[in-house]
Amino acid sequence: GNSVTQMEGPVTLSEEAFLTINCTYTATGYPSLFWYVQYPGEGLQLLLKATKADDKGSNKGFEATYRKETTSFHLEKGSVQVSDSAVYFCALERDTGRRALTFGSGTRLQVQP
Amino acid sequence: DGGITQSPKYLFRKEGQNVTLSCEQNLNHDAMYWYRQDPGQGLRLIYYSQIVNDFQKGDIAEGYSVSREKKESFPLTVTSAQKNPTAFYLCASKTVWTVNTEAFFGQGTRLTVV
């Protein structure tokens, strides 16, 4: 079946530090990959996505590249801010069959001033 | 404004009671979803619906029921058969007939058994 594995958190960084949150997946076919962000007490918002191998999704300084050879979609940001503190979820959606997102367990990011 | 609305934000249930969580969207999306979020476990799919009057079980459907009588609405009932219902419940919707589209989420309902 489909699955998504994320690095465990919390990840604690100082402001302006470099961020990497690892994400690997297992899926048949050619899934689309997503990063969603959840701020405290709220629902999820799409951060970025990539729909095929070697695509790079980017938004608000965050980037992730769809690596089919390593089945990975790691999230990176060059300089984090306190306002980036949130929970980040990696997810996939298959290109056939059930059209529903499969999520990783989430990684909490805490950025200290 | 277009969006997806869940109510109530907080809900308390006594042992043995059924409770219903509301989810309404005005985005004209065909597909709607219910997820359960527990600490450290991410989101797990309870039920989903891709069209009115049709819905499918997700990965953890036991103890839950849904209906989809209108395109805009997808209520979730947590029945007394759900043994551990305390969790954060999230509803989502998306266009399903085009691939790779964004799912929009509601603000969630936090259910607590008292």
Side-chain angles (χ1 to χ4, degrees):
Chain A
N2 304 325
S3 67
V4 177
T5 302
Q6 289 182 236
M7 62 187 290
E8 289 191 19
V11 173
T12 303
L13 296 173
S14 298
E15 206 164 23
E16 299 184 3
F18 185 85
L19 168 71
T20 300
I21 300 178
N22 290 337
C23 170
T24 57
Y25 68 90
T26 301
T28 56
Y30 301 92
S32 295
L33 302 175
F34 303 81
W35 277 100
Y36 280 81
V37 59
Q38 184 180 33
Y39 297 100
E42 298 186 4
L44 277 66
Q45 304 171 27
L46 178 66
L47 181 59
L48 54 83
K49 69 178 182 182
T51 60
K52 61 182 187 295
D54 301 324
D55 266 3
K56 177 185 283 188
S58 61
N59 186 27
K60 300 181 181 179
F62 291 89
E63 293 183 339
T65 301
Y66 189 152
R67 300 288 188 198
K68 192 164 179 65
E69 64 276 13
T70 55
T71 62
S72 65
F73 192 54
H74 304 321
L75 182 68
E76 297 182 335
K77 186 175 186 183
S79 176
V80 294
Q81 306 300 312
V82 172
S83 58
D84 293 326
S85 298
V87 181
Y88 292 81
F89 291 92
C90 186
L92 69 81
E93 182 180 350
R94 285 178 54 188
D95 56 342
T96 58
R98 187 172 85 177
R99 293 282 177 82
L101 291 164
T102 298
F103 286 91
S105 58
T107 302
R108 180 176 299 279
L109 170 65
Q110 297 173 335
V111 180
Q112 298 175 337
Chain B
D1 287 336
I4 182 165
T5 302
Q6 290 185 241
S7 62
K9 189 170 183 177
Y10 299 97
L11 186 58
F12 297 90
R13 191 194 92 168
K14 293 182 179 179
E15 295 280 354
Q17 277 186 338
N18 292 352
V19 291
T20 297
L21 283 60
S22 171
C23 179
E24 304 276 335
Q25 55 98 1
N26 60 4
L27 299 167
N28 199 33
H29 287 162
D30 293 293
M32 297 187 74
Y33 307 83
W34 274 106
Y35 289 91
R36 170 177 170 143
Q37 185 177 16
D38 295 283
Q41 293 194 46
L43 279 71
R44 294 181 289 168
L45 183 66
I46 304 172
Y47 268 99
Y48 67 103
S49 168
Q50 295 190 340
I51 198 168
V52 175
N53 293 322
D54 185 56
F55 49 83
Q56 306 295 327
K57 292 182 179 180
D59 300 319
I60 55 165
E62 185 175 352
Y64 300 97
S65 65
V66 293
S67 62
R68 187 83 186 279
E69 297 177 0
K70 299 187 300 181
K71 189 175 186 178
E72 301 80 15
S73 178
F74 191 42
L76 173 74
T77 296
V78 184
T79 75
S80 57
Q82 171 50 241
K83 297 307 178 189
N84 184 23
T86 295
F88 191 53
Y89 291 86
L90 285 162
C91 180
S93 70
K94 72 192 295 286
T95 300
V96 70
W97 308 117
T98 303
V99 298
N100 313 321
T101 55
E102 175 182 359
F104 290 81
F105 284 80
Q107 298 288 294
T109 294
R110 186 166 299 280
L111 174 63
T112 303
V113 174
V114 295

